[in-house]
Amino acid sequence: MADDLIRYDLLVQDALRGVVRKVLTDAARDGLMGDHHFYVSFRTEAPGVRMSQALREKYPQDMTIVLQHQFWDLSVNEHTFEVGLSFSGVPERLLVPFDALSGFFDPSVQFGLKFDLTEAGEVPEEANAAPAKTGPRGAGSEPSEVRPKGSGLATIGSAAPKVLPAPAAQGDKPDEKAPRPAAKKDGEEGSAEVVSLDAFRKKS
């Protein structure tokens, strides 16, 4: 087979990051529509990620944030998004490059994306963050961080693009003043459609 000099795998990854960029841009402009809400996973050690030292020490590699009930000042540009969130009652401001994303999940419609960061030479490890099953939705609750503990989203073979269910990761201890989305046990599968980029990776 000829070498892929066009690098379709990287083009597809960039296109799917554009999907996340468009969704967050719409949410920043119009707010969340219906029951839509988002779990956004990213590598905290990726270049350009900006967060407090306390959060960086707690999440040295992976982090999943929830954009659902209470977040503020969400702003999106071509390369990054920035948002204010509350973690255990402490307000924080995060800036995340789209190149740092390892996953995106909308539980309301069971749609998810998984990104391979090794192709861009950013982080040579498997992304561990995965979304948790959502719990009750209420105006008084606040978004919460999910500290990944599982093996992440299922990987896909290189034969052809496929769609697989997304297993959920376990979350941290819930905030006392906010309902936290329930976590599945390791090994359980949901019905989410997760698009992986493994199928487009350059074969050695």
Side-chain angles (χ1 to χ4, degrees):
M1 181 179 295
D3 292 337
D4 180 7
L5 302 180
I6 296 177
R7 294 310 303 271
Y8 287 106
D9 53 344
L10 300 184
L11 293 176
V12 171
Q13 284 209 75
D14 186 62
L16 292 179
R17 285 191 174 95
V19 172
V20 180
R21 183 185 303 110
K22 176 65 165 62
V23 169
L24 295 184
T25 298
D26 291 347
R29 184 184 63 245
D30 304 323
L32 296 176
M33 296 184 294
D35 291 329
H36 289 285
H37 55 287
F38 315 123
Y39 289 76
V40 184
S41 303
F42 61 95
R43 300 306 297 260
T44 58
E45 59 188 351
V49 173
R50 191 167 68 204
M51 59 198 304
S52 70
Q53 186 61 31
L55 285 180
R56 193 173 295 277
E57 291 175 355
K58 191 174 184 181
Y59 304 97
Q61 293 184 331
D62 304 280
M63 186 176 188
T64 297
I65 58 174
V66 182
L67 303 180
Q68 182 175 12
H69 298 299
Q70 293 181 12
F71 58 93
W72 56 91
D73 296 337
L74 174 62
S75 61
V76 184
N77 60 41
E78 183 179 357
H79 301 291
T80 67
F81 72 91
E82 192 171 4
V83 66
L85 293 166
S86 178
F87 297 87
S88 301
V90 179
E92 298 277 1
R93 187 82 180 159
L94 304 178
L95 185 144
V96 181
F98 288 106
D99 286 343
L101 294 183
S102 58
F104 174 85
F105 186 61
D106 183 345
S108 67
V109 292
Q110 295 291 291
F111 174 80
L113 298 171
K114 179 184 177 183
F115 299 99
D116 182 7
L117 300 185
T118 59
E119 283 295 336
E122 294 165 353
V123 182
E125 296 182 20
E126 180 183 0
N128 292 325
K133 186 177 179 181
T134 58
R137 183 183 180 96
S141 64
E142 61 184 19
S144 57
E145 73 274 24
V146 179
R147 194 170 190 178
K149 296 180 181 179
S151 58
L153 301 177
T155 56
I156 296 178
S158 59
K162 300 179 183 178
V163 174
L164 291 182
Q170 296 179 350
D172 281 342
K173 185 178 179 181
D175 214 342
E176 292 181 358
K177 63 180 181 179
R180 182 65 63 95
K184 284 187 177 183
K185 296 181 180 178
D186 292 339
E188 291 185 355
E189 292 185 350
S191 58
E193 292 186 350
V194 179
V195 180
S196 176
L197 275 301
D198 290 350
F200 299 94
R201 295 181 62 182
K202 183 177 180 181
K203 296 181 175 59
S204 57

